[in-house]
Amino acid sequence: MTERELVDLAFTMLERSYVPYSHFPVGAALECADGTVFTGCNVENAAYGSTICAERTAAVKAVSEGHRDDFVRIAIVGNSTDYCWPCGACRQFLFEFAPGLECLVARGDREYVKLPLRELLPHGFGPKSLL
C-alpha cells in the first residue's frame, strides 16, 4: 500500500467517528509489516476520560488480532486546517508497540507530512524503560 492509499483509507474513517461533543472527527489507518491494515476512528463519551482516539482504536484492533511488534506506519487524519497531530496519550500508546513507527499526519486538504514517532515523542517511556 502506498502512503497516499493509507492516508486516503484513514480519511474514510472520518464518517464513522462518534463526536457529539468535540465535533472533531479523526481517522486512522495502521499498517503492519505483513501488509495488514487496521483502521480506527475516535469515539467520544459523555465521561470525557472514556473517550478513545482513532489511533488507539486502530492499535487496539491490531493487538486484539495478534499484531504487537510489527507496526510499520500509521496515517492520522482530520478535517482541520492544521495537521492532525496525535495527542500525548496516543503517542505513548503507540510507542509501547512501535518506537520506530512512521507517522503520516494529514490535514483536511489531504496534504500530509511524514515523520518518525520518536520525533513526536523523544525519550519515550516503553517496555525497555522498565529493565
Side-chain angles (χ1 to χ4, degrees):
M1 175 169 285
T2 67
E3 289 178 359
R4 172 56 54 199
E5 290 170 332
L6 194 66
V7 168
D8 288 343
L9 183 58
F11 269 104
T12 69
M13 296 307 296
L14 293 179
E15 64 189 43
R16 295 188 181 179
S17 291
Y18 176 73
V19 290
Y21 309 107
S22 74
H23 307 289
F24 190 84
V26 177
L30 175 65
E31 184 177 17
C32 297
D34 67 359
T36 304
V37 176
F38 295 91
T39 56
C41 62
N42 53 331
V43 180
E44 295 180 347
N45 190 280
Y48 294 145
S50 298
T51 294
I52 185 167
C53 299
E55 304 92 296
R56 283 182 281 149
T57 299
V60 166
K61 287 169 67 176
V63 171
S64 72
E65 295 298 320
H67 292 267
R68 290 196 179 147
D69 57 2
D70 63 340
F71 298 176
V72 176
R73 60 185 170 178
I74 189 168
I76 306 159
V77 307
N79 283 328
S80 55
T81 56
D82 193 8
Y83 295 100
C84 191
W85 301 107
C87 72
C90 287
R91 294 174 195 205
Q92 176 60 47
F93 194 90
L94 293 168
F95 192 89
E96 175 80 13
F97 299 99
L101 187 67
E102 179 179 275
C103 299
L104 308 173
V105 182
R107 57 188 189 205
D109 63 4
R110 295 185 180 241
E111 290 297 316
Y112 67 91
V113 294
K114 175 174 61 173
L115 63 161
L117 178 60
R118 287 185 199 271
E119 191 171 317
L120 288 171
L121 186 67
H123 313 290
F125 186 86
K128 292 180 181 177
S129 302
L130 299 173
L131 301 176

